Amino acid sequence: DSRGGAAGAGGESQVSVTGGAISTDGNNAYAIVTQSIGGIGGGNANVAGAGGAGGAVGMYGDAGASITTTGDFSSAVTLHSVGGGGGFGDDFTGVLYGSGGDGGNGGGGGQAEITSGARISTGGAHSYGLAVQSIGGGGGAGGVGAGLVLGLGGDGGEGGLGGDALINNSGAVTTAGYGSTGLLAQSISGGGGAAGVAGGVLSVGGQGGSSTGADSGKPSGIANINTAADVTTTGDAAVAVMAQSIGGGGGSGAGAA
């Protein structure tokens, strides 16, 4: 049996701002972006490889610093820890018997945390003040299995869990644009992979992957925001403070023909 290789994990990433001013003046001009992203699992195998985990990401800003953006889609501070997706199972068609490969499991997201006392200001649309996200990778899809007598579809891979998303804020945060949330923390688990279809006189479709894989039954990570300073938004559809922990959807089951 062939097996897809497991993907590498993302490492830790940290930014510290201990004074001074950081500013940008154009559209799509983020001031600070910190990311750790796991790789995608190897596919086209009887058992596809698992996605790599996202590493921990962090940002520290002290009270003597300021971070300002003026353009659209120009958030002040954005942190992402993202698990890689599982690889896809291979398709296999045989004269008498065919069995699709199983999809790989998605990698989990790591902890994403901001601790900031800096003054934060954004002026454009869809420009967040402080945003942290930890996102689990999606499970890989199962492969198609087909044969004249027997066909077995591959199972979908399991989605990875989102990690903790944390904001500790003690500096004034101001946004002025449409849809520009002040503080955003999200933990989002990846969805399960779709199952593979089967075809044959006797055919059994694969099972869809669950959204939490080996951690079945566990919820997404904690999404928590603590703020001890003013958070002001003046644009339409702009939420001041939003924290969300969201479970991933289950993978769809497959039919048999």
Side-chain angles (χ1 to χ4, degrees):
D1 290 346
S2 61
R3 302 184 70 90
E12 294 185 4
S13 180
Q14 175 76 33
V15 172
S16 296
V17 182
T18 57
I22 297 174
S23 63
T24 68
D25 196 27
N27 293 334
N28 301 294
Y30 289 73
I32 295 174
V33 177
T34 305
Q35 295 179 319
S36 178
I37 302 174
I40 296 173
N44 295 320
N46 294 119
V47 180
V57 294
M59 180 270 180
Y60 170 78
D62 72 13
S66 67
I67 302 170
T68 304
T69 70
T70 60
D72 295 339
F73 301 98
S74 300
S75 296
V77 180
T78 301
L79 272 59
H80 290 138
S81 178
V82 183
F88 284 21
D90 65 348
D91 299 330
F92 182 78
T93 300
V95 176
L96 297 178
Y97 165 82
S99 178
D102 295 337
N105 295 338
Q111 180 171 294
E113 182 173 12
I114 292 175
T115 299
S116 175
R119 298 181 306 279
I120 305 295
S121 176
T122 71
H126 306 288
S127 299
Y128 298 160
L130 302 176
V132 295
Q133 292 180 314
S134 179
I135 303 173
V144 174
L148 292 176
V149 177
L150 176 63
L152 300 175
D155 293 340
E158 318 289 3
L161 285 175
D164 293 343
L166 311 171
I167 295 177
N168 303 293
N169 177 64
S170 57
V173 176
T174 303
T175 71
Y178 178 90
S180 296
T181 297
L183 305 178
L184 173 68
Q186 291 180 318
S187 174
I188 304 173
S189 291
V197 174
V201 175
L202 176 60
S203 55
V204 181
Q207 297 181 353
S210 75
S211 65
T212 53
D215 296 304
S216 183
K218 293 185 179 180
S220 292
I222 296 169
N224 187 70
I225 297 173
N226 295 310
T227 184
D230 292 341
V231 179
T232 305
T233 66
T234 58
D236 293 338
V239 178
V241 178
M242 180 184 293
Q244 295 177 312
S245 180
I246 302 172
S252 60

